[in-house]
């Protein structure tokens, strides 16, 4: 539903009033709607938000992201109220593996160390030895002894990237994917690079094109100095620090709002303009306000599950 500038201003003012009244903090992921990003107290990728959630001084955390992120926040903050403004904000990647499937996989590899991408349910994290994000997945795997067998889940593109970067031959990868990132394909890159031949190419390792981009860069068919496989947080850092003026961005399009905001004199092009996560876009200003006023929706994790998952999450936060 479209709202006028006046209505938006009034909504934001009311959100700020209720945020102060509740002693609440707003955390938002880089893929959220622009108006949500603009009112966030903390904005970042999964690793940054996981670290920030343990440092905020508030009674209430309103998590503007998706369900697994709010679960992670609840696990790290058992004495704080964690709210998710839309309970239906899920994740196709997190849904690509269940705890039952992981338990069966572990039976096939009883001595393996389990590394789970943070895009997983609390139940899956509780069955894992380490969590990771795209920011520190390579560092997490490198922290495990080289002769130790690893089960990496659930994203096959990130897993393949990590395996290439670490050279780990004893690493098994779950065949899951984020449907949004998987939908960014080599032909999309071909089209946009032809239109903007001088642009730097920033590719998220979850993308369906990441494998071919690394190969083509190594073969010299893409300029190696202009092709960068980066997490969302590192994309933001790179675009600020780089002397380049044009960037092709191969990840969920929501990040471009922040990139443009931080770099008003630079140009950013979505590798695939249709790479939009419907779950990330579910949270609106109206829902944030309702969440603050009515405690919708409180996210909690059973104590035994939370305690098991906490170990894997703490290891993630400490590495990289």
């Amino acid at each position: 539903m479209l709202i006028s500038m006046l209505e938006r201003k009034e909504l934001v003012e009311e959100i700020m009033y209720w945020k102060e009244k509740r002693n609440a903090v707003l955390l938002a992921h880089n893929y959220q709607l622009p108006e949500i990003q603009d009112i966030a107290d903390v904005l970042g990728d999964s690793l940054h938000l996981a670290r920030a959630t343990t440092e905020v001084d508030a009674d209430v955390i309103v998590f503007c992201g998706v369900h697994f992120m709010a679960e992670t926040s609840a696990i790290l903050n058992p004495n704080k109220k964690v709210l998710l403004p839309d309970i239906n904000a899920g994740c196709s990647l997190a849904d690509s593996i269940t705890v039952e499937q992981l338990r069966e996989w572990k039976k096939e590899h009883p001595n393996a160390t389990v590394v789970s991408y943070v895009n997983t349910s609390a139940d899956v994290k509780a069955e894992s030895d380490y969590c990771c994000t795209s920011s520190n997945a390579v560092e997490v795997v490198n922290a495990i002894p080289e002769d130790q067998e690893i089960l990496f889940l659930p994203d096959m593109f990130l897993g393949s990237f990590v395996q290439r970067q670490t050279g780990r031959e004893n690493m098994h990868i779950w065949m899951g994917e984020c449907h949004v990132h998987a939908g960014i394909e080599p032909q999309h890159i071909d089209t946009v690079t032809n239109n903007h031949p001088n642009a730097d190419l920033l590719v998220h390792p979850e993308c369906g094109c990441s494998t071919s981009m690394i190969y083509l860069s190594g073969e010299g068919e893409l300029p190696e100095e202009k092709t960068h496989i980066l997490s969302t947080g590192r994309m933001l850092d790179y675009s600020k620090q780089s002397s380049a003026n044009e960037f092709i961005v191969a990840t969920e399009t929501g990040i471009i709002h922040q990139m443009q905001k931080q770099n008003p004199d630079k140009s950013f092009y979505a590798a695939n303009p249709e790479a939009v996560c419907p779950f990330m876009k579910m949270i609106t200003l109206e829902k944030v306000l309702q969440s603050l006023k009515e405690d919708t929706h409180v996210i909690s994790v059973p104590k035994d599950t939370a305690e098991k998952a906490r170990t894997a999450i703490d290891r993630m936060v400490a590495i990289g």
Side-chain angles (χ1 to χ4, degrees), residues 44 65 94 219 302:
E219 292 295 304

Side-chain angles (χ1 to χ4, degrees), residues 2-302:
L2 295 176
I3 60 174
S4 68
M5 292 297 292
L6 178 59
E7 289 173 318
R8 179 175 296 182
K9 182 175 181 292
E10 291 173 346
L11 270 172
V12 171
E13 288 175 351
E14 196 169 359
I15 287 169
M16 295 303 129
Y17 166 80
W18 278 95
K19 190 180 76 164
E20 183 176 358
K21 183 176 181 177
R22 298 291 308 278
N23 188 27
V25 64
L26 304 183
L27 272 57
H29 192 274
N30 293 317
Y31 297 161
Q32 287 288 295
L33 292 168
E35 57 266 32
I36 299 297
Q37 295 187 39
D38 289 344
I39 65 168
D41 297 297
V42 182
L43 179 68
D45 62 11
S46 297
L47 182 58
H48 179 70
L49 293 175
R51 286 177 172 151
T53 197
T54 64
E55 299 168 356
V56 295
D57 182 19
D59 297 322
V60 178
I61 296 172
V62 181
F63 212 108
C64 300
V66 293
H67 193 271
F68 76 81
M69 296 178 181
E71 273 191 334
T72 300
S73 183
I75 290 167
L76 292 172
N77 293 279
N79 298 318
K80 293 180 180 177
K81 183 172 287 186
V82 177
L83 303 175
L84 180 64
D86 192 321
I87 197 64
N88 295 310
C91 173
S92 63
L93 179 56
D95 289 343
S96 69
I97 187 168
T98 65
V99 67
E100 291 80 14
Q101 288 172 318
L102 175 54
R103 286 169 181 157
E104 288 301 312
W105 201 25
K106 287 171 69 174
K107 288 178 183 178
E108 297 171 13
H109 305 273
N111 298 315
T113 295
V114 179
V115 178
S116 293
Y117 195 21
V118 72
N119 299 45
T120 47
S121 69
D123 287 337
V124 167
K125 290 181 176 71
E127 289 286 336
S128 305
D129 299 295
Y130 291 82
C131 284
C132 70
T133 71
S134 58
S135 296
N136 72 349
V138 171
E139 288 86 349
V140 167
V141 169
N142 278 334
I144 299 168
E146 289 185 9
D147 60 352
Q148 178 62 43
E149 187 179 18
I150 292 175
L151 302 183
F152 188 97
L153 62 102
D155 190 84
M156 59 183 176
F157 297 113
L158 179 60
S160 296
F161 171 75
V162 171
Q163 189 169 41
R164 284 192 302 272
Q165 294 296 107
T166 61
R168 297 291 287 254
E169 296 182 0
N170 57 351
M171 182 171 155
H172 309 281
I173 301 168
W174 187 262
M175 293 291 103
E177 65 178 29
C178 161
H179 72 282
V180 176
H181 284 100
I184 303 174
E185 300 175 346
Q187 61 264 33
H188 296 125
I189 303 296
D190 290 342
T191 299
V192 75
T193 52
N194 287 336
N195 291 335
H196 305 283
N198 296 319
D200 275 20
L201 175 60
L202 311 182
V203 182
H204 194 284
E206 279 184 50
C207 289
C209 63
S210 61
T211 300
S212 60
M213 293 306 100
I214 294 170
Y215 173 77
L216 292 173
S217 177
E219 292 295 304
E221 294 187 36
L222 283 174
E224 190 171 356
E225 71 277 5
K226 286 183 170 289
T227 305
H228 309 277
I229 311 296
L230 301 168
S231 67
T232 52
R234 287 175 178 163
M235 284 184 181
L236 284 165
D237 292 340
Y238 181 85
S239 63
K240 281 193 294 185
Q241 298 162 4
S242 173
S243 59
N245 293 314
E246 292 184 296
F247 302 86
I248 296 163
V249 183
T251 190
E252 209 274 352
T253 59
I255 197 173
I256 292 178
H257 172 71
Q258 198 62 22
M259 287 177 160
Q260 198 69 73
K261 192 174 177 180
Q262 293 178 351
N263 305 278
D265 297 327
K266 297 180 180 182
S267 299
F268 299 89
Y269 313 104
N272 180 0
E274 295 182 3
V276 178
C277 175
F279 298 114
M280 282 286 186
K281 306 308 191 231
M282 284 183 172
I283 294 176
T284 63
L285 292 175
E286 292 92 340
K287 291 175 183 177
V288 171
L289 178 58
Q290 181 183 18
S291 186
L292 282 165
K293 293 168 72 173
E294 302 177 11
D295 275 354
T296 53
H297 300 269
V298 179
I299 302 300
S300 61
V301 178

